[in-house]
Amino acid sequence: MTGTIALRHWHGPDHAAELTCVRTMLTDPEVRRWNPVVQLPDPDLPGAATAAAGAWLAKAAADERAWAITDPADDRLLGGITLRDASPLARAAAVGYWLLPDARGRGAAKLALRRVTELAFAEYGFHRVELGHMTGHAASCAIAVACGYLVEGTQRQSLPDASGTLHDLHLHARLATD
């Protein structure tokens, strides 16, 4: 990666490179550790990861606020980022992101988070964007802080892991006026 990223909408489950990327994400131990919503119903079932990746991609391709994070030099997939849980009344949304193992530690998440935060305020008209992560996820905390997301507090035992154990969540947020 050259210090830049590109965001583009997902093509969908018929796109072989995207299917491979999402299958890798769904089976990556680090993604699964920190993102309890990214779980396979039965990871030992043959084809489960491919079927789950296809379903995930179909949903992402239909979502105008879900983007693939790519290397602009060759469109290599690095991860994904989504604005979700939009509240028109509160003019707020949440942001979530993930990176493939070989894209971590290179600044791609910071670049993507900055870009999507700008879009949230300028294009979608949100006033507040929230970011939550398990308290033990130091890398995600550092990314949030580096992108101007202030720590607002800890939500105690609010995020379950794959086994159902509840973990504390750090809540960060940025306002359009920050």
Side-chain angles (χ1 to χ4, degrees):
M1 194 171 80
T2 61
T4 62
I5 54 101
L7 297 179
R8 66 163 171 76
H9 290 289
W10 294 96
H11 297 303
D14 295 331
H15 192 274
E18 288 186 357
L19 192 63
T20 299
C21 170
V22 173
R23 189 173 50 235
T24 299
M25 177 268 292
L26 290 171
T27 58
D28 178 61
E30 284 299 296
V31 171
R32 292 170 57 87
R33 176 180 177 195
W34 301 116
N35 297 283
V37 296
V38 179
Q39 300 300 328
L40 295 173
D42 185 355
D44 297 324
L45 186 67
T50 300
W56 189 97
L57 273 170
K59 184 177 177 185
D63 186 346
E64 73 172 43
R65 292 188 289 239
W67 298 271
I69 304 168
T70 67
D71 185 327
D74 58 8
D75 198 43
R76 182 174 53 92
L77 291 156
L78 305 173
I81 188 165
T82 306
L83 279 173
R84 62 185 192 283
D85 304 331
S87 169
L89 180 64
R91 294 180 41 219
V95 64
Y97 53 86
W98 53 271
L99 291 176
L100 293 172
D102 63 347
R104 294 179 191 140
R106 300 179 181 190
K110 286 180 194 170
L111 293 170
L113 181 57
R114 287 182 180 130
R115 181 112 19 103
V116 167
T117 302
E118 291 170 9
L119 287 171
F121 297 143
E123 187 171 320
Y124 294 105
F126 292 117
H127 176 71
R128 176 183 174 86
V129 180
E130 296 180 351
L131 185 157
H133 63 82
M134 287 183 189
T135 55
H137 198 340
S140 197
C141 193
I143 291 164
V145 170
C147 292
Y149 281 73
L150 300 178
V151 177
E152 292 190 333
T154 301
Q155 295 176 322
R156 297 177 305 138
Q157 296 184 6
S158 63
L159 190 62
D161 64 18
S163 68
T165 302
L166 292 169
H167 295 268
D168 292 350
L169 179 85
H170 271 168
L171 178 64
H172 297 255
R174 272 214 44 201
L175 303 178
T177 54
D178 285 344

